[in-house]
Amino acid sequence: MSKLPLADLRVVEIGSGDQLGYCGKLFSDFGAEVIKIEPDGGDPMRQHAPVVDAGNGTREGGVFAWLNTNKHSVVADLDDAADVAAIKELLQSCDLLLDARAPASIPTSLLTHDDLRRDNPGLAITAISWFGENGLYSDFRATDAICRALSGNVKLVGAKEGPPVLPRDGQISVMTALTAFIPTLAGLYDRKRGARRFAVSAHAAMLHISEFDTGLALEVGFTRPRTALNRFGRGYPVGNFPTKDGWLGVTVVTPAQWAAFCVMLGLPELEKETKFTDGLARANNSAELAAIFQPILLQQSADYWFEKGIELRIPLAVVPSMEELLRQPYYRTRGAFAKVTIGSGSFEAPVLPQHLTGSPPIANGKAPLAGSDEIADFKPRDRIATRQATLDDPLPLKGLRIVDLTMGWAGPTATRQMGDLGADVIKVESCQYPDWFRGTDPRGPYHPERTYEKVYWFQQMNRNKRGITLDLTQPKGLALLKRLIADADAVIDNYAADVMPRLGLDPDSLRKLNPKLIVVTMPAFGMTGAWSGVRAYGSTLEQASGLPSITGREGDPPTMVHTALGDPYGGVSAAAALLIGFMHQKQTGKGQHIDLSATEALLPMVAPSVIEQSINGTTGPRLGNRHPRFVPHGCFPCIGEDQWLTIAVRDDDEWQALCKVIHRPDLAEDAALATADGRRADEDRIEVAIRHWTMTVRPELAMNALQDAGVPAGTARLPLDMAGDPHLLSTGHWQPKTRRFMGPHLLPSVAYREGSSRAPYAITQLAPTLGQHNEEVLREVLGLDASEIAELRGAEIIGDTAISKKAKATVTAK
């Protein structure tokens, strides 16, 4: 077996939590030697349900085991000078420290980052925390629900009357870990340049999800309302619908999809009904439309309709339970699940979705028991880095060139990560078919007023890139693209699986053109398997992942989270895969195909429930806004219209603090409520008491009062609120910019800071106008002269103005 891409790295983990665990798993499953430092008695997550019998009377947390496959475990006391001295000695031979301790605790500990950077300058450090090391929330107490609420990812979910829906824990960890892994591995890519320190904010990482709605709100001046369960966006039908057997996920957006949906229902005449002709009209008349199509869906199974959807190119998905998900042939064929062992116990769980065909990860594997290793077991080794990088050094990926053939949200998110870290990203569009994030409606002002240059979403996803246009339907345009790819380090697209092969740009052909090339494809269900041709949006991916079946309350339909999760998660998953590919390329000089399935990129988010199903043979009832460990836990109404506060009580001390803030000494003195089990037995009464208080106070004041008392609490913010969020303003998250056509606007920063800087990386290049860098790239990269470029422009192979199909037809006729 060839060496895994990260096998040259030694990594130490300090702290606890699933964000740290998943980031470390990305290293360990791709071959790094990861050493987890645990306290006496082991990491607290070892006790979290579901638990598996590990032998010798030991029961171990299944999620913990999955997060820690292929790692080593050392028990040490970070308050003991001798243990800390031994850890410091170990770190002398390590490439990276992953540290999830609370930011405020690190400077006063025996193991400070300042000391390590001074005494151990070749050590890279990445600190992971809820809100980063600076800013107004940096000392806030937090949980998944609190962080999610404050990042604008809760308030739009659920019934119109509320409360907003709090999804299950274990999902923030995936986004945060990937967001931490990307700059960390980028910093390790060329370690001769120096070791880097990054501080990563989970809260800022979650803005990858809400920033689409933030951009939409900044563009139109308001945030779309929360309308109903499984109702979001501006179209209909979009959501989960019952069938004769199982639930069907539907996302009908375009006119062609609506026409095909009507054909599928056996009602082609419905397409022309005035009240249903476009998505907004269908949304306004949704009750009448649902009364027509839902009885028809009930006549056949979800599997039947899904197969019809593949045939008619409609974005449909079967919404599986965890039991159904584990046995679906598609996932089995692609190896999406594999065994995790700990002690003598075992179960199945999702594998890492970064499907590198030339250097795949270990498919889960063995997790360590606490203290299964000693520090003395790890022998000294040389490392490449000898100095700390400074902010004057080039960005980590400077020198790499990526040809970006992506459109929309998912693919451009992946390449945005690369551009932010210094890679030369060349975005390729065409005047005939610009990126659809520039707008999908070519009517009205789209062409005469260049509306396609004024869309907020495009600015967010495409900063730090150069942009060119090439008409790939013309042989010269396709030939120029191939020349561009022939000297690139990577090429990435997020089209449906059959699009690039039709142009002769399939992975094998591209790698023959350039053997060192990394080719990233990211269609909804990957390039192989029976579902590779499925059309999908981010909502389709969420439906197919099974996530709706574990969200919401028992008895509700499978509940979606009202944002296109598949896009941001697919984007950062692809970025992580690309960086691992670069490590392999650097070591071997060889490229490879990365076959990313955007749906599989969501499976880690359902891992806790998959693990529960595998261990117990079933999953427990959906808890709504309640929590399996924290009690009370929920989203409570406050003064004002649609104002909500999320509260999570993690232990008995926080319960006492909560009672004091809400002026209920009677509850604090009630011995039956002194423990979590006792409170769970009387949760209804407790929630009534909390509501009586929250409904008398504004959410910001309530949040601050509870945080001051040490109780995790966070306002449920709208995406629009993010632009004025006091914490984000204090950290410089929003960078004001002015761009041609667009004018002044705000752009989001990266979710990390380098070194000890409080400032984010500056956005050095605004999103390109259409074809903005044609001449620059064609001259600099391909060596074309002025006459050749003029000829291309005359033939409309390149250009800087979108061409309407009608205008193109007129030119062709002449």
Side-chain angles (χ1 to χ4, degrees):
M1 180 179 175
S2 60
K3 187 169 74 170
L4 288 164
L6 307 186
D8 291 337
L9 297 175
R10 177 178 282 180
V11 180
V12 165
E13 281 186 20
I14 292 177
S16 181
D18 49 8
Q19 299 168 23
L20 172 71
Y22 193 72
C23 188
K25 180 180 176 68
L26 287 159
F27 280 98
S28 62
D29 283 8
F30 275 101
E33 183 181 47
V34 178
I35 305 159
K36 181 174 180 61
I37 307 294
E38 302 188 60
D40 288 337
D43 188 309
M45 282 194 71
R46 289 183 179 273
Q47 307 306 313
H48 293 177
V51 295
V52 62
D53 184 353
N56 298 320
T58 303
R59 298 180 69 78
E60 294 277 348
V63 175
F64 172 89
W66 172 69
L67 291 169
N68 290 283
T69 50
N70 304 304
K71 298 179 186 178
H72 303 273
S73 171
V74 168
V75 169
D77 184 351
L78 296 184
D79 293 321
D80 181 86
D83 282 1
V84 171
I87 293 170
K88 287 182 176 180
E89 182 67 26
L90 173 63
L91 290 171
Q92 289 289 334
S93 66
C94 289
D95 299 286
L96 170 67
L97 169 64
L98 294 174
D99 195 339
R101 292 177 291 170
S105 71
I106 295 174
T108 58
S109 71
L110 297 178
L111 195 66
T112 74
H113 291 182
D114 287 344
D115 288 347
L116 287 172
R117 297 182 80 200
R118 182 190 66 240
D119 300 335
N120 195 355
L123 178 68
I125 301 173
T126 293
I128 302 173
S129 59
W130 284 112
F131 296 102
E133 296 177 332
N134 304 298
L136 301 182
Y137 301 165
S138 60
D139 293 328
F140 267 24
R141 308 287 182 95
T143 65
D144 279 34
I146 305 306
C147 184
R148 199 161 195 151
L150 283 167
S151 65
N153 283 295
V154 164
K155 196 169 184 179
L156 294 182
V157 187
K160 182 177 181 179
E161 66 276 10
V165 173
L166 301 174
R168 289 191 62 165
D169 285 4
Q171 299 171 27
I172 286 182
S173 62
V174 181
M175 179 58 74
T176 305
L178 287 163
T179 303
F181 180 80
I182 290 164
T184 301
L185 191 57
L188 292 167
Y189 172 73
D190 191 352
R191 303 191 286 289
K192 291 179 181 177
R193 294 179 179 175
R196 297 177 184 263
R197 178 186 182 274
F198 293 102
V200 182
S201 161
H203 177 250
M206 289 299 289
L207 300 185
H208 277 113
I209 304 170
S210 59
E211 70 184 13
F212 174 89
D213 275 305
T214 301
L216 176 61
L218 289 171
E219 187 169 90
V220 301
F222 63 91
T223 294
R224 57 184 172 83
R226 185 181 66 251
T227 54
L229 283 178
N230 292 325
R231 285 286 302 278
F232 58 100
R234 292 167 289 176
Y236 190 83
V238 178
N240 302 320
F241 301 95
T243 69
K244 183 178 181 180
D245 182 13
W247 290 85
L248 182 71
V250 178
T251 305
V252 169
V253 177
T254 69
Q257 290 162 2
W258 169 240
F261 187 71
C262 293
V263 169
M264 184 183 82
L265 296 173
L267 299 172
E269 68 278 5
L270 198 62
E271 179 199 352
K272 303 300 183 183
E273 284 278 351
T274 305
K275 63 183 75 173
F276 303 140
T277 51
D278 61 50
L280 183 58
R282 293 193 295 274
N284 290 336
N285 296 288
S286 59
E288 183 178 352
L289 180 56
I292 296 171
F293 74 78
Q294 283 195 321
I296 298 174
L297 293 182
L298 288 169
Q299 294 173 13
Q300 301 287 349
S301 69
D303 286 326
Y304 171 87
W305 294 119
F306 175 60
E307 294 296 333
K308 294 290 288 184
I310 296 176
E311 177 186 329
L312 295 168
R313 298 184 171 226
I314 309 170
L316 304 180
V318 176
V319 183
S321 67
M322 294 299 99
E323 180 183 9
E324 293 164 339
L325 182 71
L326 270 169
R327 66 171 187 247
Q328 279 180 333
Y330 160 76
Y331 293 113
R332 288 297 173 187
T333 300
R334 286 184 56 91
F337 302 105
K339 184 184 291 187
V340 174
T341 62
I342 184 164
S344 61
S346 66
F347 54 88
E348 285 196 303
V351 304
L352 292 180
Q354 283 74 26
H355 190 182
L356 279 70
T357 60
S359 52
I362 303 169
N364 288 328
K366 184 179 180 181
L369 296 171
S372 57
D373 301 275
E374 300 286 343
I375 288 180
D377 296 337
F378 303 98
K379 305 304 180 188
R381 56 185 282 281
D382 294 331
R383 63 183 176 202
I384 295 173
T386 59
R387 58 179 283 269
Q388 281 285 316
T390 71
L391 294 177
D392 294 327
D393 288 306
L395 288 172
L397 299 183
K398 185 175 177 60
L400 289 173
R401 178 169 292 148
I402 301 165
V403 177
D404 179 3
L405 303 177
T406 67
M407 287 193 178
W409 189 354
T413 291
T415 49
R416 183 179 94 176
Q417 313 295 316
M418 303 294 102
D420 288 343
L421 288 160
D424 178 18
V425 178
I426 300 175
K427 181 178 181 65
V428 182
E429 305 174 75
S430 75
C431 295
Q432 297 78 10
Y433 297 98
D435 186 322
W436 64 268
F437 249 37
R438 291 185 185 271
T440 56
D441 186 352
R443 297 173 299 179
Y446 184 86
H447 289 99
E449 296 184 18
R450 296 199 183 190
T451 305
Y452 53 85
E453 298 291 11
K454 304 171 184 178
V455 179
Y456 224 114
W457 321 324
F458 185 84
Q459 321 308 316
Q460 295 170 316
M461 303 302 163
N462 292 286
R463 85 283 184 99
N464 291 330
K465 302 175 185 179
R466 296 194 282 179
I468 68 170
T469 52
L470 289 173
D471 183 355
L472 302 184
T473 66
Q474 297 196 49
K476 283 188 178 180
L478 188 59
L480 286 169
L481 176 63
K482 289 180 178 179
R483 285 177 59 187
L484 196 62
I485 289 171
D487 196 40
D489 297 289
V491 61
I492 177 172
D493 81 81
N494 65 329
Y495 290 102
D498 59 344
V499 173
M500 289 291 106
R502 290 204 302 267
L503 293 170
L505 299 175
D506 57 278
D508 287 344
S509 297
L510 291 173
R511 292 195 56 230
K512 287 177 183 175
L513 192 68
N514 179 355
K516 76 164 188 177
L517 187 71
I518 300 169
V519 182
V520 182
T521 57
M522 46 188 305
F525 291 91
M527 296 290 284
T528 63
W531 294 355
S532 62
V534 173
R535 267 39 183 183
Y537 292 103
S539 51
T540 318
L541 310 183
E542 180 187 353
Q543 290 159 339
S545 75
L547 188 60
S549 72
I550 61 171
T551 304
R553 301 170 300 185
E554 195 69 10
D556 283 345
T559 301
M560 300 183 69
V561 300
H562 297 209
T563 191
L565 285 181
D567 291 284
Y569 278 90
V572 293
S573 295
L578 183 52
L579 281 166
I580 298 166
F582 281 142
M583 295 293 282
H584 178 260
Q585 182 191 66
K586 188 179 184 71
Q587 293 162 7
T588 66
K590 297 178 181 179
Q592 62 176 298
H593 173 210
I594 297 175
D595 177 17
L596 188 90
S597 159
T599 304
E600 289 172 38
L602 289 180
L603 294 184
M605 297 174 65
V606 296
S609 297
V610 169
I611 292 167
E612 181 184 8
Q613 176 69 41
S614 183
I615 291 175
N616 297 335
T618 186
T619 55
R622 290 187 286 166
L623 299 176
N625 284 352
R626 292 178 176 178
H627 194 277
R629 295 192 313 279
F630 308 151
V631 56
H633 184 278
C635 203
F636 300 92
C638 296
I639 282 181
E641 184 179 354
D642 198 34
Q643 299 298 307
W644 303 87
L645 180 71
T646 301
I647 299 173
V649 170
R650 299 171 297 180
D651 57 39
D652 299 339
D653 289 339
E654 290 177 0
W655 164 244
Q656 292 294 320
L658 172 71
C659 291
K660 185 173 182 180
V661 171
I662 68 173
H663 313 296
R664 291 299 299 266
D666 57 314
L667 297 179
E669 294 165 5
D670 189 336
L673 305 179
T675 66
D677 287 341
R679 293 191 294 276
R680 185 165 290 107
D682 210 357
E683 202 158 2
D684 288 342
R685 179 165 69 100
I686 291 171
E687 289 177 354
V688 169
I690 295 172
R691 282 196 296 273
H692 282 168
W693 176 72
T694 58
M695 291 174 71
T696 68
V697 64
R698 289 191 289 114
E700 295 293 315
L701 294 179
M703 174 180 74
N704 292 329
L706 288 167
Q707 286 286 352
D708 287 345
V711 179
T715 304
R717 299 207 190 283
L718 286 171
L720 180 59
D721 298 334
M722 295 296 99
D725 179 87
H727 171 73
L728 295 177
L729 293 175
S730 71
T731 62
H733 179 78
W734 296 105
Q735 298 188 37
K737 298 292 180 182
T738 298
R739 173 183 171 278
R740 184 185 175 207
F741 301 113
M742 187 72 187
H745 59 289
L746 297 175
L747 290 178
S749 297
V750 294
Y752 46 84
R753 303 291 183 265
E754 185 175 351
S756 56
S757 175
R758 292 172 176 259
Y761 286 164
I763 296 171
T764 58
Q765 197 153 352
L766 301 183
T769 56
L770 192 65
Q772 178 179 342
H773 302 100
N774 280 339
E775 205 158 317
E776 178 182 311
V777 170
L778 294 175
R779 284 179 181 274
E780 171 196 315
V781 181
L782 298 184
L784 273 61
D785 61 28
S787 63
E788 290 173 306
I789 293 171
E791 182 182 339
L792 293 170
R793 188 176 293 110
E796 294 189 338
I797 294 170
I798 66 170
D800 58 10
T801 305
I803 300 173
S804 71
K805 293 180 181 179
K806 183 182 294 185
K808 178 70 174 175
T810 302
V811 170
T812 303
K814 289 179 180 178

